[in-house]
């Protein structure tokens, strides 16, 4: 039985505990799905999650508008990741892909949200480019005004759900000012003429991912999300909500690694006794449990702070993402070690966790970038 005691922490309300318990039972009954065809698996997961109501927290509800509940987003990602990394991915992208619309969209743009929450449309967040991943304010993609249209030209890469998405939130340079202040956000339906998948990208933990080409893609001015020049601010506001949830996914992977390790060391007998009786093994287990609790405290502190009305949680979210993803990598590495040869055997759960965790330390701001963000915040605090 996985440790659920963290749900008694004061960060949570009874509704969070109830959601976690129901979702856990749903996951046990429905996951994992067959991953052999990741596109089909993702479509199936989005449809299943939408059908059974689990995508509701990914967007605001236009009928009953309330801020996005970051604690629910984190609990959901943690729980899904513990059962199936691809299910977590399918859930997370419905939120990240529509975050700009939830936070800044017009009523017409928000009509998409009912479809994505129901699992009837798939969304994607298209920010990164070949020359600008970490250095995102340096993007090249242009959106040129032409009467009542904008014409988008350029490339986006590493776009999760690229190739299967129905809508893309795309960031492009509109040129109001140099750098970060000259970028705007656009809602671009996947079937818009001139938008094509230039390349499908394969990674160590497979999920739908693509490089996209935009050649003379014409969208109406009404496709702009927010105001001209606000795109960078919009992207950062979306990441401010969703960055802690990356830490929550890492936490789910780490908890699964510890659960698998606890079973393994109890069952596996070496030198006449269960592996669990060796003190060096106990040392590994203690380190793993400690890292998990520390990560959970940081993740749920960030989520609670945002839910409590903080305008920005840049420092808290950066700490949560950095610590939870880096420490999950260490927890999972220890799990692989404790499993011996089985730990690196293709198809074993800890082998897949070892592949799943790696990209989380790179996307939505690499670990090194999170350190820069934290340092800037603490330096700003002393100069106040
Ligand atoms: C699996 C996966 C899914 C992704 N999904 C999406 C998506 O859906 N949408 C999207 O827009 N993008 C997505 N990305 C892109 C992701 O956000 C970028 O890969 C990330 O921002 C890093 O950019 P880069 O790959 O260009 O690496 P670079 O920017 O070249 O950075 C390389 C490395 O340099 C170091 N570094 C960079 N900046 C600094 C700094 N300031 N200080 C110190 N060290 C630094 C870091 O170690 C970093 O990992 C995804 C990436 C992956 C791998």
């Amino acid at each position: 039985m996985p440790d659920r005691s963290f749900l008694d922490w004061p960060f949570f309300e009874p509704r969070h505990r109830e959601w976690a318990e129901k979702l856990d039972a749903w996951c046990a009954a429905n996951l994992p799905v067959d991953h052999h065809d990741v596109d089909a698996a993702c479509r199936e997961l989005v449809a299943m999650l939408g059908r059974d109501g689990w995508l509701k927290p990914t967007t605001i509800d236009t009928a009953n508008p309330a801020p996005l509940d970051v604690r629910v987003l984190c609990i959901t990602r943690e729980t899904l990741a513990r059962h199936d990394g691809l299910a977590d991915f399918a859930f997370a992208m419905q939120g990240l892909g529509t975050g700009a619309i939830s936070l800044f969209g017009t009523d017409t743009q928000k009509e998409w949200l009912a479809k994505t929450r129901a699992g009837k449309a798939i969304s994607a967040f298209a920010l990164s480019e070949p020359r600008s991943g970490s250095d995102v304010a340096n993007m090249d993609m242009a959106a040129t005004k032409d009467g009542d249209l904008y014409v988008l030209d350029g490339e986006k890469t590493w776009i999760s759900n690229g190739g299967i998405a129905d809508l893309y939130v795309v960031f492009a340079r509109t040129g109001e000012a140099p750098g970060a202040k000259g970028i705007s956000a656009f809602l671009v339906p996947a079937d818009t003429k001139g938008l094509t998948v230039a390349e499908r990208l394969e990674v160590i933990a497979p999920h739908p991912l693509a490089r996209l080409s935009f050649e003379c893609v014409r969208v109406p001015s009404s496709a702009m999300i927010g105001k001209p020049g606000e795109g960078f601010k919009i992207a950062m506001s979306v990441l401010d909500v969703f960055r802690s949830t990356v830490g929550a996914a890492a936490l789910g992977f780490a908890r699964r690694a510890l659960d698998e390790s606890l079973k393994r060391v109890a069952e596996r007998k070496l030198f006449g006794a269960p592996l669990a009786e060796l003190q060096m093994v106990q040392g590994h287990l203690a380190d793993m449990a400690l890292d998990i609790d520390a990560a959970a405290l940081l993740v749920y502190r960030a989520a609670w702070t945002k839910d409590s009305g903080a305008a920005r949680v840049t420092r808290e979210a950066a700490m949560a993402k950095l610590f939870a993803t880096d420490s999950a990598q260490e927890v999972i590495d220890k799990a692989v070690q404790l499993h011996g040869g089985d730990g690196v055997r293709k198809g074993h759960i800890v082998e897949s966790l070892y592949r799943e965790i790696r990209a989380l330390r790179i996307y939505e701001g690499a670990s090194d970038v999170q350190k820069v963000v934290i340092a800037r915040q603490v330096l700003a605090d002393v100069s106040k």
Side-chain angles (χ1 to χ4, degrees), residues 42-55:
C42 260
R43 287 197 180 98
E44 184 186 356
L45 283 163
V46 170
M48 285 164 59
L49 288 163
R51 178 197 65 204
D52 293 341
W54 301 113
L55 294 177

Side-chain angles (χ1 to χ4, degrees), residues 122-375:
I122 294 179
S123 65
F125 178 80
L127 182 66
S128 304
E129 296 183 6
R131 248 176 30 88
S132 60
S134 306
D135 187 11
V136 69
N138 194 27
M139 69 172 60
D140 291 317
M141 184 153 153
T144 315
K145 193 138 174 56
D146 178 10
D148 197 31
L149 297 171
Y150 277 93
V151 185
L152 275 56
D153 279 292
E155 266 194 353
K156 292 286 169 186
T157 194
W158 298 115
I159 306 310
S160 298
N161 278 342
I164 67 163
D166 298 291
L167 73 145
Y168 294 90
V169 167
V170 180
F171 297 85
R173 184 161 296 290
T174 36
E176 290 72 20
K181 294 202 169 139
I183 293 168
S184 302
F186 297 89
L187 195 168
V188 184
D191 56 6
T192 309
K193 197 165 167 250
L195 164 54
T196 53
V197 174
E199 184 185 8
R200 291 298 297 264
L201 307 173
E202 288 188 32
V203 286
I204 54 175
H207 67 252
L209 200 63
R211 179 164 61 85
L212 305 173
S213 164
F214 292 74
E215 275 182 48
C216 214
V217 172
R218 292 169 180 275
V219 292
S221 299
S222 59
M224 185 181 281
I225 303 171
K227 297 200 179 76
E230 282 189 354
F232 186 81
K233 185 187 94 180
I234 291 173
M236 294 308 120
S237 301
V238 171
L239 293 175
D240 208 51
V241 172
F242 287 96
R243 191 163 272 149
S244 327
T245 79
V246 181
L251 195 52
F253 293 141
R255 281 198 205 279
R256 180 67 184 267
L258 177 58
D259 293 346
E260 295 295 327
S261 302
L262 290 170
K263 273 193 266 166
R264 176 77 178 198
V265 299
E267 284 162 8
R268 178 83 169 151
K269 293 209 169 54
L270 287 183
F271 312 107
L275 202 47
E277 289 187 15
L278 297 175
Q279 282 197 339
M280 198 110 72
V281 168
Q282 292 174 4
H284 286 319
L285 296 173
D287 287 342
M288 292 161 87
L290 183 60
D291 273 344
I292 288 171
D293 272 13
L297 282 163
L298 284 170
V299 165
Y300 290 113
R301 189 263 304 243
W304 173 83
T305 307
K306 186 77 182 168
D307 287 345
S308 301
R312 295 296 292 255
V313 286
T314 310
R315 175 174 177 272
E316 291 85 350
M319 285 184 170
K321 188 198 180 249
L322 172 66
F323 187 83
T325 57
D326 280 6
S327 65
Q329 181 89 60
E330 286 178 28
V331 168
I332 293 166
D333 189 59
K334 288 193 172 80
V336 169
Q337 195 71 18
L338 290 173
H339 278 76
D342 280 341
V344 289
R345 197 165 171 189
K346 201 169 172 189
H348 195 287
I349 179 68
V350 294
E351 177 267 345
S352 71
L353 292 168
Y354 192 75
R355 290 182 289 101
E356 287 279 3
I357 187 60
R358 193 62 187 86
L360 277 65
R361 297 173 58 211
I362 295 171
Y363 64 62
E364 289 188 43
S367 293
D368 320 67
V369 175
Q370 301 310 327
K371 284 188 188 167
V372 174
V373 170
I374 295 165

Side-chain angles (χ1 to χ4, degrees), residues 63-127:
N64 186 16
L68 293 166
D69 187 327
V70 187
R71 285 168 296 171
V72 174
L73 289 169
C74 285
I75 289 172
T76 310
R77 289 202 66 178
E78 175 179 342
T79 308
L80 291 171
R82 191 156 46 74
H83 287 271
D84 179 3
L86 203 58
D88 164 59
F89 167 82
F91 171 85
M93 286 314 303
Q94 292 301 93
L96 184 67
T98 55
I101 304 172
S102 279
L103 298 178
F104 299 94
T106 61
D107 288 347
T108 310
Q109 290 165 350
K110 283 180 182 158
E111 285 170 13
W112 275 99
L113 301 181
K115 290 188 208 158
T116 61
R117 299 169 91 226
K120 295 192 169 145
I122 294 179
S123 65
F125 178 80
L127 182 66

